[in-house]
Amino acid sequence: MNQQVRQAELYASYSYPQHRYGLELIETADPKPGERVLDLGCGPGTLTELIARRVGPEGSVVGVDPDVERVKLARKARSPECRNLSFEVGRAEDLALIPHGSIDLLFSNFALQFVRERARALREMARCLAPGGRCVFTACAHLSPLLGRVFNQDSEGPNPKNPGNIVLRADEWRAFLEQAGFLVDRA
């Protein structure tokens, strides 16, 4: 079995804590019937499908993730009755596949801390939102020193696939969001 496929499957199997927080975030986001939603960093798509059920057939949801294998898992696991749901490979820094002003709700659960070019990603997210649209996300605020080292290096030294500083405090996120043009309700 391919290493990337195995990693995607392990992620899907062991991401229960993220999933639990994601369920709470869905309640906070409160997707409404008919809304157009972008799930940024959708992983295997479990939460994305729950959102698709909430917006109903008159709404639409697209899940975007940079990991090809996770997107494949999400597509494979998608329920046939969720015709309003699609999954795409993409990065937060380049959401060209999403038309300007076409998203009512941008949802992201524990993914944005891994984005290398945060300012660029936040500008792209703001570009995608429709007037009056909203963005709801969670991101890590703290990692133990051990986890920080694991995320930032591999067995051969620094890992170019992960940013050097993956966590920000709430006030730092607020500043990034405001610089990108978001009106921040809470951070």
Side-chain angles (χ1 to χ4, degrees):
M1 179 182 293
N2 173 319
Q3 175 75 9
Q4 286 181 306
V5 172
R6 183 72 181 132
Q7 286 176 347
E9 289 173 351
L10 284 172
Y11 175 84
S13 297
Y14 292 105
S15 62
Y16 176 75
Q18 277 184 279
H19 181 79
R20 185 172 44 92
Y21 286 116
L23 294 174
E24 293 175 16
L25 189 61
I26 289 172
E27 292 308 312
T28 299
D30 192 23
K32 306 270 190 274
E35 285 191 315
R36 302 160 297 172
V37 181
L38 170 60
D39 181 359
L40 196 52
C42 66
T46 310
L47 295 171
T48 320
E49 185 163 325
L50 294 175
I51 295 168
R53 292 178 188 282
R54 294 269 300 255
V55 301
E58 59 278 357
S60 63
V61 179
V62 61
V64 174
D65 199 282
D67 188 285
V68 173
E69 296 305 325
R70 288 184 192 159
V71 170
K72 285 179 184 177
L73 283 175
R75 287 174 177 161
K76 183 178 177 182
R78 182 182 69 99
S79 296
E81 65 267 11
C82 282
R83 293 187 198 108
N84 63 339
L85 173 59
S86 64
F87 294 99
E88 303 296 333
V89 175
R91 296 175 43 240
E93 300 93 336
D94 181 8
L95 296 171
L97 59 113
I98 307 296
H100 178 83
S102 66
I103 298 298
D104 300 307
L105 170 61
L106 197 149
F107 177 93
S108 185
N109 186 51
F110 289 111
L112 296 179
Q113 69 267 12
F114 297 109
V115 173
R116 281 184 169 288
E117 299 174 61
R118 288 185 183 115
R120 183 175 170 198
L122 291 172
R123 284 191 305 272
E124 272 293 274
M125 292 162 60
R127 179 194 64 77
C128 294
L129 284 175
R134 61 202 190 284
C135 175
V136 179
F137 71 91
T138 54
C140 287
H142 170 73
L143 289 178
S144 72
L146 173 62
L147 284 176
R149 285 193 305 274
V150 168
F151 279 117
N152 293 321
Q153 68 182 4
D154 58 23
S155 61
E156 298 178 17
N159 185 347
K161 293 181 181 178
N162 290 302
N165 176 17
I166 66 170
V167 296
L168 294 177
R169 295 183 322 264
D171 61 323
E172 293 171 317
W173 274 113
R174 179 182 289 277
F176 267 109
L177 289 162
E178 289 173 346
Q179 288 170 2
F182 285 94
L183 174 63
V184 180
D185 179 48
R186 77 183 148 156

